[in-house]
């Protein structure tokens, strides 16, 4: 049997090229070798208020983007977290073995809580729900970005604690796969990772941006005061543009140097823009086809949930028996 992989993204904000190059593209690459579950984590999204109509639309959009990027629903399960009740059930059981102190220490929690007037309990529980996602499927590997490494570490701690209290139950998930592909930074501020929740118009290139928008954003990207590409002295903005080009083209460092050394920033930007436009074109075309077929995405999501629910439910049954909760045979 192939080892199981689980990963997910929140259906909030707009998916951008950083999400594609850092995550989605890897998922597509590894899917033939694993039994993969790719989740749309809507229960995580509502840890911060989401407009209901918008959330509904974003769930379908994210599923269509998974498909358009090349996740093959015949190989991998694409499913929505809230459609398999076992996610929320297991989260509760894990909550009961998780010290509050562990959760209060999470960096992401501290960052998000700091800007809330009232901190919802869901924000604190966020990593427990994430642990439930992973442990439900006994996932061996969890491909996530380094910003999620702390949550993955916590997942292992929770699993270990449960195992020591109630007996061997959970498989320890391995650290994320080494992500090939660059860490893409914001176009407006190359010191910050490109983010889905960043509001600035010039910050990220969304996967569904029209070509004119992509060109405009790249032409306005922050560089530095030098006139042309100098590999001995790369500023972070120029380096980011080169990384974007390299990730989409698949060129090696030698090819990059030979092609871009000495090129003026204006010309560099033009070439990066054309590379991004051309690379996203097929994905956008598939997205339009998928979106034009009513009910198609819903069907995929229903099949995905049906496929994974038995695995998730049997984990919940096992956990119930281990904990002494009522689980008739
Ligand atoms: N917290 C993850 C993120 O923001 C999303 C997520 C939720 C996830 N559950 C997961 C990722 C389980 C991997 C496995 O990126």
């Amino acid at each position: 049997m192939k080892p199981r992989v689980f990963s997910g993204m929140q259906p909030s904000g707009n998916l951008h090229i950083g999400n594609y190059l850092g995550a989605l593209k890897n998922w597509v690459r590894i899917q033939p070798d694993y039994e993969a579950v790719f989740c749309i984590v809507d229960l995580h999204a509502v840890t911060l208020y989401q407009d209901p109509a918008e959330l509904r639309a974003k769930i379908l959009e994210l599923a269509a983007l998974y498909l358009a990027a090349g996740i093959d629903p015949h190989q991998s399960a694409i499913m929505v977290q809230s459609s398999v009740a076992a996610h929320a059930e297991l989260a509760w059981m894990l909550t009961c073995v998780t010290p509050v102190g562990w959760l209060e220490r999470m960096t992401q929690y501290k960052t998000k809580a700091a800007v809330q007037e009232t901190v919802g309990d869901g924000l604190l529980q966020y990593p427990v729900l994430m642990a439930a996602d992973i442990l439900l499927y006994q996932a061996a590997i969890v491909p996530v970005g380094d910003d999620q490494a702390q949550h993955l570490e916590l997942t292992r701690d929770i699993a270990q604690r449960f195992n020591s209290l109630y007996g061997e139950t959970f498989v320890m998930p391995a650290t994320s796969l080494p992500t090939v592909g660059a860490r893409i930074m914001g176009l407006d501020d190359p010191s910050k990772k490109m983010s889905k929740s960043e509001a600035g118009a010039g910050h990220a290139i969304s996967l569904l941006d029209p070509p004119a928008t992509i060109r405009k954003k790249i032409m306005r990207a922050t560089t530095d005061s030098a006139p042309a590409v100098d590999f001995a002295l790369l500023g972070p903005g120029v380096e980011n543009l080169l990384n974007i080009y390299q990730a989409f083209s698949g060129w090696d460092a030698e090819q990059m140097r030979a092609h871009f050394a000495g090129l003026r920033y204006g010309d560099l930007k033009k070439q990066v823009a054309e590379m991004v436009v051309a690379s996203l074109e097929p994905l956008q075309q598939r997205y339009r086809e998928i979106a034009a077929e009513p009910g198609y995405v819903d069907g995929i999501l229903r099949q995905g949930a049906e496929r994974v629910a038995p695995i998730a439910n049997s984990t919940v049954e096992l956990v119930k028996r281990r904990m002494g909760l009522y689980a008739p045979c």
Side-chain angles (χ1 to χ4, degrees), residues 190-214:
S191 70
K192 279 201 210 139
K193 194 174 162 188
M194 192 176 278
S195 151
K196 264 202 300 183
S197 45
E198 192 77 40
H203 174 76
I205 295 172
S206 300
L207 293 183
L208 297 176
D209 274 347
T213 309
I214 297 175

Side-chain angles (χ1 to χ4, degrees), residues 80-325:
V80 179
Q81 190 182 31
S82 68
S83 65
V84 175
H87 287 256
E89 279 186 276
L90 183 62
W92 176 255
M93 296 157 190
L94 298 179
T95 289
C96 296
V97 304
T98 307
V100 178
W102 290 4
L103 300 175
E104 287 170 337
R105 275 201 292 277
M106 293 291 111
T107 328
Q108 194 174 302
Y109 167 72
K110 288 193 278 191
T111 311
K112 287 185 179 175
V115 295
Q116 300 300 310
E117 215 172 293
T118 314
V119 178
D121 189 23
L123 216 48
L124 186 64
Q125 302 303 321
Y126 184 110
V128 184
L129 179 59
M130 181 163 161
D133 295 339
I134 296 166
L135 299 175
L136 262 184
Y137 301 100
Q138 308 279 14
I141 287 162
V142 184
V144 286
D146 49 6
D147 61 321
Q148 296 298 311
Q150 198 184 30
H151 288 162
L152 216 58
E153 197 52 53
L154 184 82
T155 298
R156 281 191 288 269
D157 289 343
I158 293 174
Q160 217 134 42
R161 192 172 164 94
F162 188 98
N163 286 354
S164 73
L165 285 169
Y166 296 109
E168 273 315 296
T169 306
F170 294 119
V171 172
M172 281 314 132
T175 330
S176 47
L177 288 178
T179 42
V180 290
R183 181 178 154 93
I184 305 299
M185 314 305 278
L187 295 178
D188 56 344
D189 178 0
S191 70
K192 279 201 210 139
K193 194 174 162 188
M194 192 176 278
S195 151
K196 264 202 300 183
S197 45
E198 192 77 40
H203 174 76
I205 295 172
S206 300
L207 293 183
L208 297 176
D209 274 347
T213 309
I214 297 175
R215 291 190 182 104
K216 199 162 76 193
K217 286 178 177 173
I218 292 178
M219 294 313 290
R220 289 187 187 159
T222 301
T223 49
D224 50 59
S225 54
V229 179
D230 176 357
F231 280 91
L233 224 115
L234 279 186
V238 173
E239 187 172 16
N240 190 40
L241 290 170
L242 290 168
N243 281 340
I244 292 171
Y245 191 98
Q246 183 167 15
F248 277 116
S249 65
W251 284 9
D252 62 27
E254 270 321 298
Q255 286 170 296
M256 291 296 295
R257 267 169 198 273
H259 187 80
F260 286 108
L263 201 68
R264 302 187 67 81
Y265 288 167
D267 294 323
L268 163 71
K269 286 177 168 181
K270 274 187 206 145
Q271 295 200 22
V272 174
E274 291 321 307
M275 174 54 73
V276 175
V277 167
S279 304
L280 292 185
E281 218 283 314
L283 183 152
Q284 296 187 345
Q285 176 61 29
R286 279 196 297 275
Y287 179 85
R288 284 191 291 269
E289 286 162 16
I290 291 163
E293 216 178 309
Y296 175 71
V297 173
D298 286 306
I300 297 290
L301 293 174
R302 193 174 341 99
Q303 282 169 29
E306 282 168 5
R307 200 154 117 200
V308 303
I311 307 167
N313 290 336
S314 78
T315 304
V316 165
E317 284 309 306
L318 173 66
V319 170
K320 281 185 177 179
R321 280 199 301 279
R322 287 283 150 85
M323 294 181 87
L325 296 165

